Amino acid sequence: MARSPRIDRTPFEAEILDLSHDGRGVARRDGKAVFVAGALPGERVVVEQTARSRHFDEAKTLEVLQASPDRVDPRCPHFGTCGGCVLQHLAEDRQIEVKQHTLLENFERIGHVAPESVLPPLTGGSWGYRRKGRFSVRRVEKKDKTLVGFREQDPRFVADLSACHTVIPQIGSRIEALAGLVDGLKARADIPQIEFIAGDAAGEFDGVALVFRHLQPLGDDDRGALVAFGRQHRFAIYLQPGGVDSVQPLWPVHADGSGPSLAFRLPAWDVELAFRPLDFIQVNAKLNEKMIAHALGLLDPQPTDRVLDLFCGLGNFTLPLARRVGEVVGVEGEAGLVARARENAERNGLANARFFAADLTQDQRGTPWMRQGFDKLLLDPPRSGAIEVLKQLPLKQFGRIVYVSCHPGSLARDAGYLVNECGWRLKAAGVMDMFPHTAHVESIAVFEAK
């Protein structure tokens, strides 16, 4: 078995030259790149090596000798240990500038393109915004306690959180209570994770649902403790003994066995989207509403347009579009999301929104929806991007494409294909701060046919 390279933990000084795509400072030592956690460009710091490889080393900041003017005191006492945030030490206005730089650099380096104009960054609230996520759970016998939180920067460990300032307050302020709940369960060693998701408050609960993954069946005492916690905090409680399809409500439960209604409204379009506890919804509710308005503004939908919405999910863009156009067709790979998108269209009285389930990484050229004529295209793909489906689409039918992206590298690659191989114009692009204080770059681009 090959040995790991030896790590020299002798502290050394480093000058930080840049910021990496994952929010670490970039230095050079004997010509070799060093990625330094907790350091900012322009700083001189004392660091300690934490990992070594052939092409680069990794290190952590021990002391800041010369601070950047953009450095601020992190709000969270767990910053630097918890892996949930990496940019709390950077001023908020600079965070979004760094993300914009990352997007433009990716366009140039990967796609060999540049937008004709850069859109103003789209921002929303930077604290208490995260309405969906997953906490890891670990019983630590040496500490005689159960930890509930995000993974540490070293992902082998769970961060010992007292609170989280980026998670919505209903959950972020109750992490210690959640840890105490699990620690009091007989099955505390058999619960590896808790997922949370929040819609709008309604009826007997606060709009928040917690899903407890458990590896062994729960006894009556443990189930009773979970119900009591849900009642006390007005949370819906779900259990997940197996895969995604095994999720069942524990409290509250209606006579037909169903759980409470989980949904969020988009008031500007008079739309309500219902979802299930493990469904994908946009993490930042306030930014999501701004993003939808921004995307529709760039797409410029007209009353007679037929619009194709790819990777449509629950209908986050599709249903608002249906209020503005003649017809919109949404396509999504996960059949369960498609079924709920159809239900959402029906509950909102939108007969002009149709949905299809299709794996958009595979050949779809024989499918009925692909052969229909459209005027405009909106797409919001996963991190892997949309190159496979873009290569199949008859692109000449579209007058405009709006591309919402959660990964600047795949957007840049796809933009290069559209511009350099298909002759489109990258009219404008910009960033959206869906995940403040993290290195995640959400962006949007609009393409026009030449």
Side-chain angles (χ1 to χ4, degrees):
M1 187 173 68
R3 281 185 170 184
S4 299
R6 180 177 174 274
I7 297 175
D8 181 359
R9 297 194 180 277
T10 305
F12 62 95
E13 291 188 16
E15 183 178 348
I16 307 302
L17 307 172
D18 201 355
L19 202 65
S20 71
H21 67 89
D22 60 2
R24 292 183 291 178
V26 181
R28 301 200 78 83
R29 188 188 192 196
D30 299 329
K32 188 178 185 182
V34 184
F35 296 105
V36 184
L40 297 174
E43 294 188 330
R44 188 155 192 86
V45 294
V46 178
V47 308
E48 176 185 279
Q49 188 180 73
T50 58
R52 180 184 175 191
S53 68
R54 178 178 298 180
H55 300 294
F56 62 88
D57 293 338
E58 298 177 66
K60 64 180 180 180
T61 301
L62 299 178
E63 181 183 359
V64 179
L65 302 175
Q66 180 181 332
S68 164
D70 299 319
R71 177 175 284 274
V72 296
D73 292 331
R75 177 186 288 199
C76 179
H78 307 293
F79 179 75
T81 301
C82 176
C85 296
V86 294
L87 292 177
Q88 278 194 32
H89 60 318
L90 180 61
E92 291 177 26
D93 57 344
R94 283 289 294 135
Q95 289 183 27
I96 195 66
E97 290 177 11
V98 164
K99 294 179 182 186
Q100 180 173 284
H101 172 77
T102 298
L103 175 65
L104 297 178
E105 188 272 335
N106 273 255
F107 276 136
E108 180 180 357
R109 177 174 55 86
I110 299 173
H112 308 293
V113 295
E116 295 175 12
S117 65
V118 177
L119 299 166
L122 202 64
T123 59
S126 58
W127 300 104
Y129 65 84
R130 194 188 296 252
R131 63 175 173 175
K132 177 176 172 60
R134 175 186 297 168
F135 291 134
S136 294
V137 181
R138 179 169 293 176
R139 170 67 186 176
V140 181
E141 296 298 339
K142 289 183 178 179
K143 294 185 177 182
D144 190 28
K145 66 187 299 187
T146 296
L147 307 183
V148 174
F150 296 114
R151 293 281 173 176
E152 291 189 358
Q153 291 188 1
D154 182 339
R156 296 175 299 170
F157 303 105
V158 177
D160 187 358
L161 301 186
S162 59
C164 179
H165 297 285
T166 61
V167 171
I168 59 172
Q170 301 99 301
I171 300 169
S173 64
R174 290 173 172 146
I175 293 177
E176 281 188 323
L178 198 52
L181 164 70
V182 178
D183 198 54
L185 301 178
K186 294 176 182 177
R188 63 191 180 186
D190 295 315
I191 297 178
Q193 67 190 40
I194 302 168
E195 299 216 20
F196 62 87
I197 194 167
D200 297 337
E204 58 197 335
F205 80 109
D206 205 21
V208 174
L210 302 179
V211 182
F212 290 79
R213 176 81 173 94
H214 55 99
L215 305 178
Q216 299 293 333
L218 299 183
D220 290 343
D221 289 347
D222 285 356
R223 294 166 70 94
L226 293 174
V227 169
F229 187 85
R231 288 183 185 274
Q232 178 185 355
H233 297 289
R234 294 167 50 86
F235 292 166
I237 306 295
Y238 290 79
L239 300 180
Q240 184 187 359
V244 173
D245 293 336
S246 72
V247 174
Q248 294 293 330
L250 178 64
W251 185 87
V253 182
H254 298 143
D256 62 358
S258 65
S261 297
L262 300 172
F264 64 90
R265 288 194 59 76
L266 298 171
W269 301 276
D270 189 25
V271 163
E272 183 176 69
L273 280 86
F275 57 89
R276 292 186 183 177
L278 296 187
D279 281 348
F280 171 80
I281 63 172
Q282 294 290 350
V283 162
N284 189 324
K286 183 182 295 185
L287 205 284
N288 183 50
E289 291 191 38
K290 290 187 174 184
M291 177 178 69
I292 295 169
H294 194 37
L296 268 59
L298 294 172
L299 195 65
D300 189 28
Q302 300 300 311
T304 58
D305 280 346
R306 296 190 77 251
V307 177
L308 180 61
D309 178 13
L310 298 183
F311 309 95
C312 67
L314 292 165
N316 191 54
F317 291 106
T318 328
L319 301 188
L321 271 167
R323 296 286 191 210
R324 301 272 299 273
V325 301
E327 186 175 28
V328 57
V329 171
V331 185
E332 163 63 41
E334 188 177 331
L337 289 178
V338 172
R340 287 185 281 289
R342 288 174 178 151
E343 293 167 3
N344 281 326
E346 185 175 351
R347 71 186 288 162
N348 287 279
L350 294 168
N352 63 333
R354 296 190 297 131
F355 295 91
F356 297 88
D359 181 352
L360 294 172
T361 67
Q362 302 301 312
D363 191 345
Q364 299 294 329
R365 280 170 287 201
T367 56
W369 64 265
M370 179 72 85
R371 296 196 300 267
Q372 297 171 1
F374 296 98
D375 301 294
K376 289 165 184 171
L377 170 65
L378 187 147
L379 60 167
D380 182 11
R383 289 177 59 86
S384 54
I387 192 67
E388 294 91 354
V389 73
L390 286 174
K391 287 183 176 180
Q392 299 176 45
L393 288 168
L395 294 174
K396 291 182 180 179
Q397 68 183 312
F398 303 113
R400 184 170 295 189
I401 298 172
V402 169
Y403 189 133
V404 177
S405 169
C406 62
H407 190 269
S410 57
L411 170 59
R413 178 203 63 203
D414 295 351
Y417 170 74
L418 287 171
V419 172
N420 299 324
E421 297 188 41
C422 302
W424 285 70
R425 296 166 51 203
L426 176 52
K427 187 176 181 183
V431 290
M432 305 179 290
D433 210 6
M434 183 67 74
F435 290 84
H437 310 295
T438 78
H440 179 98
V441 180
E442 192 90 6
S443 54
I444 192 167
V446 56
F447 300 86
E448 285 192 351
K450 286 185 178 179

